[in-house]
Amino acid sequence: AAPAPAASAPNSSEPGSDDFDLDSKEGQERLRALREAMPERVVAANAKLVDFICEASLRFRRGHLPSAKERALAYFEWREKYIGSFADQRISDDPELLRVLKTGLVRLGAGAAS
């Protein structure tokens, strides 16, 4: 198992900060630590998805690694349980995805439905 990201990045046990900058050296170190903490089977299935979710989680949690890790892992658990895969998806190719979207549980932003 990968080491907990909290031990591998400076200040990662502190609450998130409004001045967190993902593009800074520290931000990139935290992003790398978060990505390394993701399940290898998920990374192998869709590394681009893992990169996107890790970046979004770290931004949303303002650089706070423990809560960003919890959020990202929860997303992958949800995705596997309800979508059944980590593969890229298109509404036009996936009636099950369309069904999930119609429940209102998930909403797509403009341009995301292509």
Side-chain angles (χ1 to χ4, degrees), residues 1-15:
S8 60
N11 303 320
S12 61
S13 62
E14 296 176 6

Side-chain angles (χ1 to χ4, degrees), residues 27-86:
Q28 290 300 300
E29 288 171 3
R30 289 182 186 199
L31 180 59
R32 189 171 25 263
L34 181 58
R35 188 178 190 282
E36 288 172 2
M38 295 299 102
E40 188 55 42
R41 64 187 177 77
V42 180
V43 176
N46 194 336
K48 282 177 32 179
L49 176 64
V50 171
D51 290 343
F52 174 78
I53 294 299
C54 286
E55 184 174 321
S57 297
L58 202 54
R59 282 187 194 276
F60 183 77
R61 300 308 305 161
R62 298 174 307 169
H64 188 246
L65 266 172
S67 60
K69 178 182 175 184
E70 183 179 329
R71 178 171 281 281
L73 291 173
Y75 170 78
F76 291 126
E77 184 179 316
W78 174 88
R79 171 97 183 225
E80 187 169 42
K81 182 176 182 180
Y82 292 101
I83 303 298
S85 126
F86 302 111

